[in-house]
Amino acid sequence: MSSLETKKDFAVVIVVSHANPNGDPLDGNRPRETYDGHGEISDVCLKRKIRNRLMDMGESVFVQSADNNDDGYKSLKERADAAGILKEKDPEKLRTEACEKWIDVRAFGQLFAFKKGSDKDSVSLGIRGPVTIQSAFSVDPIEINSMQITKSVNSEPGEKKGSDTMGTKHSVDFGVYVAYGSMNPQLAEKTGFSEGDAESIKKALATLFENDESSARPAGTMYVYKVYWWNHNSKAGQYSPAKVHNSLHVKVKDGVDIPRSIDDYEISLDTLEGLTPEIIDGN
């Protein structure tokens, strides 16, 4: 299996305007925010969107959502069974076959833990992936707008008794979020994650919100502004991920009290000798 040739780091600048980028089910689906009021998009949410984009690009994905399913299987076990990999008794063969078949397994890793007829035949194998992505956080504290919504028709037969309150809809007025990630060549050797796979992830990041529209995220209310892609010159890399990520600065321009567009922000990069990022415009 081919694998990643050099270490890579990346950053994604995301613009949100009158949308709910990632609702918290434990807080009435309000947009996630930190204790100091900064908005958050979880790493799990970002990986879901990356998987969806990879599927749109024709890649084979193991962890598919119920509302974005291209093979008809309703569970991970059904998908794994159909692929025949759960018949493997040798963990290394199971690892190899799973990584060869699904790009998200060789990228993010996966826990295969499925109970079969007996405990003796059960499968339990953890695969550690080379691609990590952090949660995205807003540059500034966010303002959350909440509105009460009602239904205008009866859900059940019977006499209509007027509009019944259904709940509350939340959105972020405006925010610029930044997410960071890295790709580890040493771990890529174990899963077969390749340079071609890295290019697919890069394309997915630049188009993260295509085909992602919903009532909470109407078309055009969320988009990727820029992707910053650092391609090191070796597997070890010239700099640590922390130093690379900290070289990107996104801040509100002087004189702007309340930012309302990406033009109200200033983006700059520290110079890292021998390491210049590729800057990709988002869609």
Side-chain angles (χ1 to χ4, degrees):
M1 289 189 295
S2 62
S3 61
L4 203 64
E5 295 175 3
T6 60
K7 183 178 179 296
K8 304 181 196 307
D9 294 296
F10 58 86
V12 187
V13 179
I14 299 166
V15 179
V16 177
S17 179
H18 302 294
N20 187 343
N22 186 200
D24 185 349
L26 298 180
D27 191 20
N29 207 43
R30 282 173 58 86
R32 295 181 188 273
E33 59 180 328
T34 62
Y35 286 112
D36 59 358
H38 287 253
E40 178 178 2
I41 305 174
S42 74
D43 61 315
V44 175
C45 175
L46 293 172
K47 284 190 281 190
R48 174 72 272 151
K49 295 181 190 304
I50 292 171
R51 286 183 168 102
N52 289 345
R53 291 300 297 135
L54 291 172
M55 290 172 65
D56 291 341
M57 293 158 55
E59 298 283 359
S60 182
V61 168
F62 180 63
V63 181
Q64 300 182 20
S65 61
D67 60 353
N68 188 30
N69 182 296
D70 65 2
D71 57 16
Y73 299 116
K74 297 180 180 180
S75 69
L76 297 180
K77 186 175 186 300
E78 286 182 22
R79 188 167 294 115
D81 272 330
I85 66 168
L86 297 186
K87 296 177 182 178
E88 288 291 348
K89 301 295 184 182
D90 184 346
E92 285 308 310
K93 287 185 178 180
L94 191 158
R95 178 196 305 273
T96 299
E97 290 189 16
C99 289
E100 286 179 348
K101 184 165 184 61
W102 296 296
I103 186 172
D104 59 327
V105 175
R106 58 182 181 268
F108 304 126
Q110 182 63 37
L111 173 63
F112 289 87
F114 301 114
K115 187 172 179 59
K116 300 173 79 174
S118 65
D119 289 340
K120 182 180 179 181
D121 295 326
S122 295
V123 174
S124 182
L125 173 67
I127 298 176
R128 188 178 172 193
V131 181
T132 55
I133 185 166
Q134 304 172 23
S135 295
F137 295 96
S138 66
V139 177
D140 305 291
I142 57 172
E143 294 180 7
I144 297 175
N145 180 44
S146 300
M147 69 174 72
Q148 204 169 41
I149 55 176
T150 59
K151 63 181 179 181
S152 59
V153 296
N154 280 357
S155 298
E156 300 290 339
E159 182 181 352
K160 189 173 185 293
K161 298 180 180 179
S163 295
D164 298 324
T165 299
M166 292 180 66
T168 307
K169 186 175 181 179
H170 310 281
S171 64
V172 172
D173 282 348
F174 183 80
V176 172
Y177 293 64
V178 185
Y180 298 98
S182 298
M183 298 181 175
N184 184 305
Q186 285 74 27
L187 293 174
E189 290 178 358
K190 298 181 179 181
T191 68
F193 184 82
S194 67
E195 290 288 334
D197 292 332
E199 285 297 313
S200 295
I201 297 276
K202 184 200 295 184
K203 291 177 183 177
L205 290 171
T207 60
L208 201 57
F209 301 104
E210 285 191 17
N211 301 326
D212 189 56
E213 298 88 351
S214 72
S215 61
R217 300 180 302 279
T221 59
M222 291 187 65
Y223 65 93
V224 172
Y225 177 63
K226 300 282 185 184
V227 174
Y228 295 83
W229 189 268
W230 291 268
N231 190 33
H232 295 250
N233 63 11
S234 66
K235 290 189 173 183
Q238 297 114 288
Y239 303 93
S240 70
K243 187 158 189 175
V244 174
H245 295 161
N246 289 336
S247 70
L248 175 66
H249 305 281
V250 184
K251 66 175 185 177
V252 176
K253 291 179 180 178
D254 291 340
V256 176
D257 294 326
I258 302 177
R260 292 302 182 194
S261 79
I262 188 65
D263 294 330
D264 291 331
Y265 285 81
E266 180 181 281
I267 301 177
S268 61
L269 286 161
D270 294 336
T271 300
L272 297 176
E273 186 176 355
L275 185 63
T276 301
E278 177 187 358
I279 303 176
I280 305 107
D281 289 330
N283 286 2

